[in-house]
């Protein structure tokens, strides 16, 4: 069939006009998209407590719709103790608000925003990240029947975040069972898909996912799966399948994190797998009393400390610069500056009523002799905390004798400089180089590394004790009682007599994590003040009196 | 030395340049959505990359503009649409990243910010004169050559010297292509001058 020259011209002419129109429409659509995008994330500038509890710190992890159904889709990952051990919130130690209206809602510390993970770009659908309250909120309960008291400030007694992250990654990478007779070279499809999420979401909420939700979930799934897979050669695969809470898999356990594993991966681009650095989640009362933060006192500036904590929890340099996220981090930090602990006498009324004033005075004398210089004391009038002359100083680990792994881990020498370089001068969380240790030239000086003398206000709420959470009670910390070599962690009940947490003799549904103090990084030795347990001078009456006085702080 | 202003632009000529411009602009504005980096910064970077890509044919064709009206039209179209991409870049850099002209000077420093703003104005003036004056005088030619030389130097130095990474490759490509085009043009012109046709 021949085509006339005129016809060819008309067709090509129409094609060229069509191409121009197509490009014009695409440009227009792009402009409209960007205009709409600007309205997706309206910054919210919260008051300080609100920022602490609900404000995102840049750790967006997944779309809200996914967070609502993921545990239902992967019970083998999110209910490792079996259905009888409770839902995923209970099994990983998250906290509920306790209000009836919140039944089925996400736990405290799951912040909802319209920022995408990593970039902080605006999203048309809500994403779930973390607020400060995720880690720094706990519920103190004495018995199973006790509804307990929810407190902002103390490190969570029960949260096993690293185990939950293992379960999360396992769910993202889970595949369908291999088909019988299928090609061995071909991997089965992933279980978590847009389709499975859509079906589960519709079944749970009675609502179909919208087009924007579908697009964002599809894009998120590609991105996060790609990122986890890209990291597998360096970081290794998650365990999942009910093993996430196993101490051999996630040795951090409840109440603790491995903050430097994340920072080493983020900042140095190294695996960070061979570092037994476990630190309990910090209690963040009265941060205004602390000249230096972190257990080793390496950071002076409160905002710098908070921004590095956010970075360790998954925030990025990019999204921490967003006005709302920067405000949340600063405002939540301000909240912890002036947040004061409740008093023992108000929380444990009957136990406090039984305290003998004479013994309290004797305990105070012991405290003044052995503790005040390093930790400070409450003023007699008004009860405000007053730091001691050595509060805020770093005691070398060789002197204090506690587990040294926290200050001897690989990369310790280079992290400070690299973290400083991470925040350019124009960044909201840029800090002076002198605010972070070790200073240039002192990187290799191991002798100056140690642990900082901290104020002890609200001491009864700072359990478990020592930086690695290896001592469950104050009675053991002051060597009134022998420190346990092995105990069990989970959602432990509070012990107002020994001041700290109770542990069963063997694992149970509630306390599943075997804490072995002989494991590297878990040592419970050191800080033998006033006396070591085997010191002949040890006076148990004085120690019992000291324990009573410590309750009053 | 005379200029060759745009004239009788054909639909294929316009389509070729406009489609390339559209694809590059859409890529620069949407590609950063797929990355983990700061979206505004990603758009700012991507728009300067695509401006550089668009400038390559503009620089390469410019020395040959007197050979035919078609070449001249394409050279001017690429030059003009490259400027539109550069304006998108400048908008994102000045108003989204730095938050205004004053802040741009404060954060970039007077020298770099000054050069960038001079480029916006000078290149813009050139484009306006190109399409409105239709001038063919030697003065107009000198002005066009000066504008392109300045633009070339700013892009080449920025991409090769001031920026590292993969974008340096783009800068090298732009420089090599432009220099080659100019050298070949002079070489061909010299040969033309030596060639005496036999009557």
């Amino acid at each position: 069939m021949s085509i006339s020259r005129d016809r060819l011209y008309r067709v090509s002419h129409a094609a060229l006009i069509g191409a121009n129109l197509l490009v014009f429409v695409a440009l227009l659509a792009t402009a409209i998209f960007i205009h709409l995008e600007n309205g997706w994330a309206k910054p919210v500038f919260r008051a300080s407590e609100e920022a602490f509890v609900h404000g995102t710190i840049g750790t967006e992890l997944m779309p809200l719709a996914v967070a609502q159904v993921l545990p239902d889709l992967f019970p083998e990952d999110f209910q490792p103790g079996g259905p009888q051990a409770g839902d995923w919130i209970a099994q990983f130690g998250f906290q509920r608000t306790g209000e009836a209206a919140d039944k089925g809602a996400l736990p405290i510390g799951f912040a909802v925003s319209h920022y995408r993970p990593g970039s902080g770009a605006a999203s048309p659908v809500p994403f779930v990240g973390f607020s400060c309250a995720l880690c720094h909120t706990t519920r103190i309960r004495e018995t199973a029947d006790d509804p307990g008291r929810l407190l902002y400030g103390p490190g969570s007694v029960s949260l096993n975040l690293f185990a939950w992250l293992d379960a999360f990654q396992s769910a993202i990478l889970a595949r369908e069972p291999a088909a019988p007779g299928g090609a061995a070279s071909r991997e089965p499809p992933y279980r978590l898909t847009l389709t499975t999420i859509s079906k589960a979401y519709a079944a749970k909420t009675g609502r179909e996912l919208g087009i924007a939700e579908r697009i964002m979930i599809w894009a998120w799934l590609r991105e996060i799966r790609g990122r986890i897979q890209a990291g597998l050669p360096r970081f290794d695969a998650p365990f999942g399948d009910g093993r996430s809470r196993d101490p051999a898999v996630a040795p951090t356990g409840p109440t603790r994190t491995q903050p430097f594993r994340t920072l080493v991966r983020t900042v140095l681009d190294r695996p960070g797998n061979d570092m037994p650095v476990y630190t309990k989640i910090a209690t963040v009362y009265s941060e205004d009393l602390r000249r230096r933060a972190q257990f080793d006192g390496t950071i002076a500036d409160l905002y710098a400390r908070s921004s590095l904590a956010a970075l360790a929890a998954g925030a990025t340099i990019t999204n921490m610069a967003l006005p709302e996220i920067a405000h949340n981090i600063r405002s939540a930090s301000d909240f912890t500056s002036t947040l004061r602990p409740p008093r023992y006498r108000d929380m444990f009324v009957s136990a406090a009523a039984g305290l003998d004033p004479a013994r309290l005075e004797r305990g105070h004398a012991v405290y003044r002799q052995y503790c005040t210089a390093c930790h400070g004391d409450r003023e007699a009038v008004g009860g405000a905390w007053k730091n001691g002359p050595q509060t805020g100083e770093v005691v070398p680990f060789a002197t204090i004798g506690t587990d040294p792994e926290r200050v001897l881990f690989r990369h310790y020498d280079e992290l400070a400089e690299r973290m400083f370089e991470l925040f350019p001068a124009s960044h909201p969380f840029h800090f002076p180089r002198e605010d972070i240790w070790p200073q240039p030239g002192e990187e290799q000086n191991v002798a100056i590394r140690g642990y900082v003398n901290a104020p002890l206000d609200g001491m009864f709420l700072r359990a478990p004790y020592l930086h690695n959470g290896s001592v469950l009670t104050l009675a053991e910390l002051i060597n009134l009682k022998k420190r346990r070599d092995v105990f069990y962690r989970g959602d432990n009940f509070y012990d107002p007599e020994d001041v700290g947490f109770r542990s069963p003799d063997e694992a149970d549904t509630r306390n599943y994590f075997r804490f072995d103090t002989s494991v590297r990084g878990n040592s419970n030795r050191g800080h033998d003040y006033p006396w070591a347990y085997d010191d002949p001078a040890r006076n148990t009456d004085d120690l019992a009196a000291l324990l009573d006085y410590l309750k009053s702080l | 030395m005379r200029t060759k202003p745009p004239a009788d632009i054909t639909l294929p000529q316009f389509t070729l340049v406009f489609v390339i411009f559209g694809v590059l602009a859409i890529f620069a504005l949407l590609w950063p959505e797929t990355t983990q980096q700061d979206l505004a910064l990603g758009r700012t970077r991507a728009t300067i990359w695509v401006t550089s890509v668009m400038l390559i044919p503009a620089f390469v064709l410019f020395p040959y503009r007197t050979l035919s009206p078609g070449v001249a039209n394409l050279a001017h179209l690429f030059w003009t649409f490259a400027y539109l991409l550069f304006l998108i870049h400048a908008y994102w850099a000045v108003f989204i990243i730095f938050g205004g002209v004053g802040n741009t000077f404060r954060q970039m420093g007077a020298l770099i910010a000054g050069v960038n703003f001079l480029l916006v104005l000078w290149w813009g003036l050139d484009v306006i004169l190109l399409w409105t004056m239709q001038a063919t005088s030697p003065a107009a030619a000198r002005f066009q050559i000066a504008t392109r030389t300045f633009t070339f130097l700013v892009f080449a130095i920025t991409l090769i010297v001031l920026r590292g990474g993969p974008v340096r490759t783009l800068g090298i490509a732009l420089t090599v292509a432009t220099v080659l085009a100019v050298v070949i043009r002079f070489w061909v012109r010299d040969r033309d001058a030596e060639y005496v046709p036999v009557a």
Side-chain angles (χ1 to χ4, degrees):
Chain A
M1 190 180 75
S2 64
I3 301 174
S4 73
R5 197 183 177 90
D6 283 350
R7 187 179 172 85
L8 191 62
Y9 172 79
R10 282 199 301 275
V11 169
S12 62
H13 192 77
L16 291 173
I17 288 175
N20 282 304
L21 279 175
L22 190 65
V23 167
F24 178 76
V25 170
L27 282 168
L28 196 63
T30 303
I32 292 169
F33 171 79
I34 291 171
H35 176 72
L36 291 174
E37 187 179 45
N38 288 335
W40 287 341
K42 300 239 183 292
V44 179
F45 298 101
R46 298 172 174 84
S48 59
E49 181 172 343
E50 186 74 0
F52 180 85
V53 180
H54 298 298
T56 169
I57 53 172
T59 53
E60 278 69 20
L61 192 60
M62 59 184 144
L64 176 60
V66 176
Q68 288 170 312
V69 300
L70 196 64
D72 302 338
L73 288 169
F74 296 90
E76 73 278 20
D77 287 319
F78 288 96
Q79 291 175 285
Q84 73 282 358
D87 64 6
W88 67 278
I89 295 176
Q91 295 204 26
F92 287 96
F94 295 99
Q95 298 295 336
R96 301 173 211 273
T97 61
E99 294 165 14
D102 280 348
K103 200 171 181 183
L106 295 172
I108 292 172
F110 275 61
V112 176
S113 76
H114 277 74
Y115 298 113
R116 278 177 264 170
S119 69
S123 162
V125 305
F127 271 77
V128 171
F130 303 140
S131 73
C132 297
L134 181 86
C135 292
H136 304 289
T137 298
T138 200
R139 188 179 294 278
I140 299 295
R141 252 185 299 233
E142 292 183 68
T143 63
D145 301 331
D146 179 8
R149 180 166 169 184
L150 188 73
L151 296 169
Y152 296 139
S156 170
V157 59
S158 52
L159 177 62
N160 196 340
L161 188 59
F162 275 52
W164 185 81
L165 289 171
D166 182 85
F168 171 77
Q169 293 191 2
S170 174
I172 300 292
L173 298 183
R175 291 180 182 273
E176 297 288 355
S185 59
R186 194 169 171 185
E187 287 197 278
Y190 289 109
R191 283 174 56 196
L192 188 66
T193 63
L194 178 57
T195 306
T196 56
I197 293 168
S198 302
K199 282 181 182 170
Y201 185 78
K204 184 163 189 170
T205 66
R207 188 179 79 79
E208 297 289 334
L209 289 173
I211 182 70
E213 287 169 312
R214 286 172 181 273
I215 291 171
M216 294 307 292
I217 289 171
W218 174 81
W220 167 80
L221 207 45
R222 277 175 58 91
E223 190 278 322
I224 192 154
R225 188 170 281 146
R227 189 149 45 93
I228 294 173
Q229 280 187 321
L232 291 183
R234 275 192 300 151
F235 309 141
D236 215 341
F239 285 85
D241 291 326
R243 293 195 60 199
S244 299
R245 300 189 310 174
D246 185 336
V249 169
T252 47
T255 307
R256 303 198 303 177
T257 66
Q258 272 183 291
F260 294 96
R261 191 183 77 172
T262 314
L263 286 173
V264 163
R265 289 177 178 181
T266 307
V267 181
L268 301 181
D269 200 26
R270 294 283 181 271
N273 284 346
D274 56 347
M275 305 188 311
V277 184
Y278 311 118
T279 56
K280 67 176 180 181
I281 299 170
T283 293
V284 291
Y285 287 129
S286 309
E287 291 296 307
D288 57 339
L289 296 173
R290 292 167 181 261
R291 282 191 287 123
R292 300 203 70 88
Q294 301 285 45
F295 289 106
D296 62 349
T298 47
I299 299 175
D301 180 71
L302 177 61
Y303 293 156
R305 185 215 62 184
S306 298
S307 63
L308 289 172
L311 191 69
T316 63
I317 298 299
T318 300
N319 66 20
M320 279 194 285
L322 293 174
E324 179 180 352
I325 293 175
H327 170 86
N328 282 340
I329 295 172
R330 286 201 187 106
S331 201
S333 303
D334 294 342
F335 176 68
T336 65
S337 260
T338 54
L339 179 66
R340 303 297 184 220
R343 303 298 291 269
Y344 180 89
R345 61 176 181 245
D346 298 327
M347 278 193 67
F348 305 105
V349 177
S350 59
L355 296 178
D356 175 19
R359 203 160 78 150
L360 271 176
E361 190 46 49
R362 180 179 176 182
H364 194 182
V366 177
Y367 184 86
R368 274 196 297 264
Q369 183 178 353
Y370 292 101
C371 313
T372 301
C374 289
H375 297 295
D377 196 359
R378 285 203 181 275
E379 291 179 326
V381 180
W385 191 267
K386 187 179 179 193
N387 284 338
Q390 293 163 39
T391 306
E393 289 183 7
V394 173
V395 180
F397 69 87
T399 304
I400 194 82
T402 50
D403 190 292
E405 297 293 342
R406 169 65 181 76
V407 292
L408 291 182
F409 64 89
R410 191 179 180 190
H411 310 301
Y412 185 100
D413 52 344
E414 56 184 323
L415 256 185
E417 182 67 23
R418 296 294 293 275
M419 288 195 289
F420 168 71
E421 291 170 352
L422 207 56
F423 294 89
S426 58
H427 196 279
F429 292 105
H430 175 77
F431 51 85
R433 180 63 182 87
E434 53 269 27
D435 275 2
I436 187 166
W437 291 347
Q439 286 290 291
E442 293 186 334
E443 293 92 339
Q444 306 300 328
N445 187 357
V446 175
I448 61 171
R449 299 181 193 174
Y451 297 97
V452 72
N453 292 328
L456 301 185
D457 60 328
M459 188 58 178
F460 72 103
L461 289 173
R462 296 179 186 271
Y465 299 100
L466 295 186
H467 71 274
N468 57 3
S470 58
V471 179
L472 271 185
T473 65
L474 261 182
E476 291 168 86
L477 182 69
I478 61 174
N479 291 321
L480 172 61
K481 292 189 173 180
K482 192 170 190 318
R483 296 177 186 178
R484 278 167 277 195
D485 295 329
V486 172
F487 51 87
Y488 294 89
R489 292 300 330 279
D491 193 1
N492 302 64
F493 292 129
Y494 193 81
D495 178 355
E497 293 305 319
D498 283 351
V499 188
F501 294 106
R502 301 181 195 279
S503 166
D505 294 330
E506 56 187 38
D508 58 24
T509 307
R510 193 180 183 92
N511 305 285
Y512 57 89
F513 184 90
R514 185 177 189 272
F515 193 115
D516 184 346
T517 59
S518 68
V519 170
R520 195 173 157 208
N522 281 359
S523 171
N524 62 354
R525 65 188 164 85
H527 193 274
D528 288 318
Y529 306 111
W531 306 282
Y533 191 77
D534 54 2
D535 187 335
R538 176 170 162 268
N539 183 325
T540 53
D541 288 340
D542 277 353
L543 290 176
L546 175 63
L547 179 63
D548 280 357
Y549 182 71
L550 288 170
K551 292 173 185 174
S552 71
L553 296 179
Chain B
M1 184 169 63
R2 291 190 170 277
T3 65
K4 189 80 175 174
D8 302 326
I9 290 172
T10 64
L11 183 60
Q13 288 167 0
F14 179 84
T15 303
L16 173 69
V17 180
F18 182 66
V19 168
I20 292 173
F21 160 78
V23 170
L24 290 176
I26 291 166
F27 166 80
L29 294 173
L30 296 186
W31 168 77
E33 298 270 354
T34 67
T35 71
Q36 287 284 298
Q37 64 177 313
D38 180 349
L39 191 54
L41 194 61
R43 283 180 175 146
T44 308
R45 284 181 180 146
T47 46
I48 200 63
W49 298 343
V50 296
T51 304
S52 307
V53 170
M54 202 76 174
L55 273 176
I56 293 175
F59 285 144
V60 167
L61 293 175
F62 183 73
Y64 303 92
R65 67 196 179 285
T66 54
L67 294 182
S68 80
V71 173
N73 286 345
L74 283 175
H76 295 319
L77 282 167
F78 275 113
W79 174 250
T80 303
F81 279 105
Y83 181 66
L84 292 182
L85 288 174
F86 185 64
L87 280 184
I88 299 173
H89 164 76
Y91 168 77
W92 242 274
V94 174
F95 296 106
I96 308 289
I97 297 289
F98 293 121
V101 175
N103 280 337
T104 306
F105 273 93
R106 270 188 288 279
Q107 294 185 46
M108 288 188 88
L111 178 65
I112 294 178
V115 168
N116 285 334
F117 278 108
L118 175 63
L119 183 60
V120 171
L121 295 175
W122 191 354
W123 190 353
L125 179 65
D126 182 276
V127 168
I128 290 168
L129 293 177
L130 182 70
W131 294 94
T132 57
M133 298 296 286
Q134 298 284 309
T136 58
S137 66
R142 278 195 289 274
F143 180 76
Q144 286 183 0
I145 290 168
T147 310
R148 281 152 186 78
T149 304
F150 178 65
T151 307
F152 169 75
L153 287 174
V154 169
F155 273 80
I157 291 170
T158 303
L159 296 177
I160 297 174
V161 181
L162 302 181
R163 298 271 182 271
V167 75
R168 182 171 284 164
T169 310
L170 182 60
I172 292 169
L174 178 131
T175 305
V176 169
T178 306
V179 170
L180 266 180
V182 172
V183 168
I184 291 171
R185 181 68 185 107
F186 277 115
W187 183 59
V188 169
R189 197 176 65 173
D190 291 345
R191 283 187 52 142
D192 284 350
E194 290 169 8
Y195 176 67
V196 181
V198 178

